[in-house]
């Protein structure tokens, strides 16, 4: 096997690898000897089929498989011998004029990671914008909880049920006079006007009193889940066992105790934390942008064009999706088209910043543990159907680049956290509007920085790893570091399991949707 370098320009490399016909033939013969004992053929005892017949039967398949194996091994050996750090998967092609029995000439083209000098992590100064929860926000949130936990008391027997009143009822549903499965319930609570039952059900109980018995007629919606009931007219024999009226929910220690807490103060404390957590992500984003600005200063180096193009394609695809949702899609698409060069600059800046973070991580021994990686794989696998999860896990474990793409968002987060710990951080309280305005101001500022950044060749050692970052937003956000590994599927939150209802209820629990099939090629998400 012979190797020759044909291109060495900037970050671009190209090689030709020649696998001689003799080398390939010898490997095929070795494979034949290896499988011959397992081959079965009529007229021959097991393991006694002549090698020439094995070759005649399986030669074409063996030749293709062996050639593929030798190409893969030769590219791996090339990468090792030349100490190459591919930015993306090398492009490998077999000469078009190749024929069995001739030497195989392989072309390998790739871009290598640039040589990047790790920025200093000393002297970083960041401002943390905090949005404290206002007292009125806390009160409003608790009142919302109270509204979801309404209490009722028995009304006088002469009370006619009205909007907002609760009825305790027994009912039996019938189709053509015959009870149907799931159409019966006892002591079922129903709030007039809640819309919890199928259309027409609650309305016909308005004005009912405790002890009333009546039969109502309703029609199930055409899209009702139970096919035997969808669009059908049914009757319900109903007994109103009690009419109840809403009581005022007093927000005090007893209310908090009923929720399982020690006191109202504890409830307020919890709600305050939850409200402030809602803005914690924006606070982190704004801090991260400051951090990346400081890291980017004075670090201009050439980045792999393939990584930039892949990153731009990801940004561009999302921008087009967002534009298509606007009131005037054509105008929105034209606007982003006019700013296309800006987004290309942003893609380049993100790749460069990602490489800087990667170098910092390596220089400071930031790692993703095997346990953390196992958790990542398990979480990512949950988006697939159960029968596809094992195949996905095997794919990640067998493909180093796919594993690196999955690891990248967490790796970058850990590097950023490391730098936050190193930085001198001052805190300032702002309103939610002020925090949002600060982030939006960064959008425009970072775009200008991305456009103005010069491109220079690097001379230092390139990192072995790269970090990915957040998914491109429709805004011109040039602050986030993001080398161009494709996006990995984000874990979806599972749908909440609906409470059990009878068939008189408006909606039956939805069928569990089929999980998406595992794609042949995975993509990585940014953090």
């Amino acid at each position: 096997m012979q190797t020759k370098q044909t291109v060495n320009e900037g970050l671009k490399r190209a090689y030709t690898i020649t696998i001689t016909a003799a080398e390939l033939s010898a490997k095929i013969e070795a494979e034949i000897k290896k499988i011959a004992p397992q081959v079965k053929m009529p007229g021959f005892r097991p393991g006694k089929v002549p090698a020439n017949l094995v070759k005649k039967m399986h030669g074409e398949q063996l030749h293709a498989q062996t050639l593929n194996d030798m190409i893969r091994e030769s590219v791996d050996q090339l990468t090792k011998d030349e100490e190459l750090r591919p930015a993306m998967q090398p492009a490998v092609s077999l000469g078009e004029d190749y024929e069995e029995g001739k030497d195989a000439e392989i072309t390998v083209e790739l871009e290598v990671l640039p040589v990047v000098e790790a920025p200093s992590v000393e002297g970083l100064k960041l401002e943390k914008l905090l949005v404290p929860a206002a007292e009125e926000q806390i009160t409003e949130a608790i009142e919302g909880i109270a509204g979801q936990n309404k209490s009722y008391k028995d009304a006088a027997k002469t009370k006619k049920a009205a909007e907002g009143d609760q009825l305790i009822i027994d009912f039996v549903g019938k189709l053509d006079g015959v009870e149907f499965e799931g159409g019966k319930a006892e002591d079922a609570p129903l709030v007039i006007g809640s819309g919890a039952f199928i259309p027409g059900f609650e309305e016909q109980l308005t004005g009912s009193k405790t002890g009333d018995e009546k039969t109502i007629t309703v029609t199930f919606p055409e899209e009702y889940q139970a096919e035997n009931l969808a669009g059908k007219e049914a009757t319900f024999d109903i007994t109103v066992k009690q009419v109840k009226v809403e009581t005022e929910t007093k927000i005090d220690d007893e209310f908090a105790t009923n929720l399982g807490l020690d006191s109202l103060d504890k409830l307020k404390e919890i709600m305050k934390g939850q409200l402030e957590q809602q803005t914690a992500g924006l606070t982190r984003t704004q801090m991260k942008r400051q951090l990346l600005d400081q890291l980017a200063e004075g670090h201009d180096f050439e980045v792999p064009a393939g990584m930039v193009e892949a990153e731009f394609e990801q940004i561009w695809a999302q921008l087009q999706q967002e534009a298509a949702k606007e009131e005037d899609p054509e105008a929105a698409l034209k606007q982003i088209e006019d700013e296309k060069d800006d987004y290309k600059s942003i893609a380049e800046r993100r790749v460069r910043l990602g490489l800087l973070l990667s170098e910092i991580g390596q220089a400071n021994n930031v790692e993703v543990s095997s346990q953390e990686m196992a958790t990542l794989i398990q979480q990512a696998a949950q988006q697939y159907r159960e029968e596809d999860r094992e195949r996905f896990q095997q794919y990640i474990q067998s493909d180093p680049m796919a594993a690196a793409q999955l690891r990248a968002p967490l790796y970058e987060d850990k590097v950023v956290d490391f730098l936050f710990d190193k930085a001198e951080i001052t805190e300032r309280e702002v309103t939610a509007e002020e925090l949002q305005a600060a982030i939006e101001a960064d959008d425009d500022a970072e775009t200008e920085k991305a456009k103005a950044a010069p491109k220079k060749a690097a001379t230092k050692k390139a990192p072995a790893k790269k970090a990915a970052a957040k998914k491109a937003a429709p805004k011109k956000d040039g602050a986030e570091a993001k080398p161009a590994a494709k996006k990995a599927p984000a874990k979806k939150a599972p749908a909440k399991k609906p409470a059990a209802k009878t068939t008189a209820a408006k909606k039956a629990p939805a069928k569990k949707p089929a999980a998406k099939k595992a794609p042949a090629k995975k993509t990585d998400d940014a953090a």
Side-chain angles (χ1 to χ4, degrees), residues 303-420:
V303 293
M307 292 178 70
V308 175
E309 182 61 26
E311 171 65 16
F312 170 73
E313 288 177 359
Q314 183 174 318
I315 295 173
W316 194 246
Q318 187 180 351
L319 287 167
Q320 290 179 313
Q321 290 175 4
E322 294 296 330
K325 299 175 184 177
E326 296 293 335
E327 292 183 6
D328 188 347
E330 290 187 9
L333 288 169
K334 184 180 184 304
Q335 180 180 349
I336 64 170
E337 188 69 39
D338 292 342
E339 299 170 339
K340 196 168 188 176
D341 289 342
D342 293 354
Y343 292 111
K344 288 183 177 179
S345 297
I346 288 170
E348 181 174 335
R349 186 172 192 269
R350 289 186 176 188
V351 171
R352 184 175 290 109
L353 285 168
L355 294 174
L356 284 171
L357 287 176
S358 177
E359 185 64 26
I360 291 172
Q362 292 177 83
N364 293 278
N365 300 316
V366 177
E367 295 180 348
V368 173
S369 69
S370 57
Q371 181 59 48
E372 289 171 327
M373 190 62 194
T375 300
L376 281 178
I377 295 174
Q378 290 177 356
Q379 290 174 342
Q382 293 306 307
Q383 69 182 308
Y384 300 115
R385 294 182 304 184
E386 189 171 351
E387 59 267 30
D388 292 329
R389 291 173 187 170
E390 184 176 352
R391 183 161 63 91
F392 169 76
Q393 293 178 3
Q394 291 174 348
Y395 163 71
I396 294 295
Q397 291 166 353
S398 64
D399 189 323
M401 186 160 289
Q405 290 173 345
L406 184 62
R407 182 191 302 110
L410 177 58
Y411 183 74
E412 182 183 284
D413 272 348
K414 297 190 73 169
V415 175
V416 169
D417 287 337
F418 165 78
L419 292 172
F420 282 168

Side-chain angles (χ1 to χ4, degrees), residues 87 104 264 482:
L264 179 60
K482 189 173 183 180

Side-chain angles (χ1 to χ4, degrees), residues 166-435:
Q166 184 188 66
L167 277 64
I168 305 300
I169 61 175
D170 293 345
F171 62 80
V172 178
K174 299 177 182 179
L175 286 176
D176 298 326
V178 180
E179 289 186 28
F180 56 84
E181 185 178 356
K184 183 176 182 179
E186 295 181 355
D187 295 329
L190 180 156
V191 176
I192 301 294
S194 66
F197 282 56
I198 57 178
F201 197 101
E202 297 168 17
E203 292 83 347
Q204 296 183 63
L205 294 179
T206 301
S208 298
K209 301 188 298 294
T210 298
D212 282 356
E213 295 182 358
K214 59 170 51 181
T215 298
I216 65 174
T217 301
V218 295
T219 300
F220 283 92
E222 292 290 342
E223 68 279 7
Y224 196 73
Q225 182 181 350
E227 295 181 2
N228 65 314
L229 299 176
K232 299 289 183 64
E233 185 178 86
T235 61
F236 284 88
D237 297 332
I238 298 173
T239 300
V240 180
K241 301 178 75 172
Q242 183 64 57
V243 175
K244 294 174 173 284
V245 293
E246 183 180 346
T247 60
E248 180 182 357
T249 301
K250 189 175 181 181
I251 299 176
D252 53 14
D253 286 339
E254 183 179 353
F255 172 72
T257 301
N258 290 335
L259 294 176
L261 302 174
D262 295 335
S263 64
L264 179 60
D265 287 342
K266 185 62 177 178
L267 176 58
K268 289 181 178 180
E269 180 185 335
I270 291 174
M271 294 311 303
K272 182 176 185 294
Q274 290 182 357
L275 290 169
E276 291 178 348
Q277 186 61 34
Q278 292 174 8
T279 59
L282 293 176
T283 294
R284 179 183 173 86
T285 295
Q286 202 271 339
M287 282 183 63
K288 183 176 178 181
R289 292 185 179 184
Q290 296 176 61
L291 173 67
L292 296 178
D293 276 350
Q294 294 183 43
L295 294 179
E297 291 179 3
H299 291 85
D300 298 313
F301 50 85
E302 184 181 6
V303 293
M307 292 178 70
V308 175
E309 182 61 26
E311 171 65 16
F312 170 73
E313 288 177 359
Q314 183 174 318
I315 295 173
W316 194 246
Q318 187 180 351
L319 287 167
Q320 290 179 313
Q321 290 175 4
E322 294 296 330
K325 299 175 184 177
E326 296 293 335
E327 292 183 6
D328 188 347
E330 290 187 9
L333 288 169
K334 184 180 184 304
Q335 180 180 349
I336 64 170
E337 188 69 39
D338 292 342
E339 299 170 339
K340 196 168 188 176
D341 289 342
D342 293 354
Y343 292 111
K344 288 183 177 179
S345 297
I346 288 170
E348 181 174 335
R349 186 172 192 269
R350 289 186 176 188
V351 171
R352 184 175 290 109
L353 285 168
L355 294 174
L356 284 171
L357 287 176
S358 177
E359 185 64 26
I360 291 172
Q362 292 177 83
N364 293 278
N365 300 316
V366 177
E367 295 180 348
V368 173
S369 69
S370 57
Q371 181 59 48
E372 289 171 327
M373 190 62 194
T375 300
L376 281 178
I377 295 174
Q378 290 177 356
Q379 290 174 342
Q382 293 306 307
Q383 69 182 308
Y384 300 115
R385 294 182 304 184
E386 189 171 351
E387 59 267 30
D388 292 329
R389 291 173 187 170
E390 184 176 352
R391 183 161 63 91
F392 169 76
Q393 293 178 3
Q394 291 174 348
Y395 163 71
I396 294 295
Q397 291 166 353
S398 64
D399 189 323
M401 186 160 289
Q405 290 173 345
L406 184 62
R407 182 191 302 110
L410 177 58
Y411 183 74
E412 182 183 284
D413 272 348
K414 297 190 73 169
V415 175
V416 169
D417 287 337
F418 165 78
L419 292 172
F420 282 168
D421 289 340
K422 288 285 186 179
E424 178 184 332
I425 298 176
T426 57
E427 297 182 352
R428 178 163 64 93
E429 291 188 359
V430 296
T431 64
E433 292 74 17
E434 288 172 332
L435 175 57

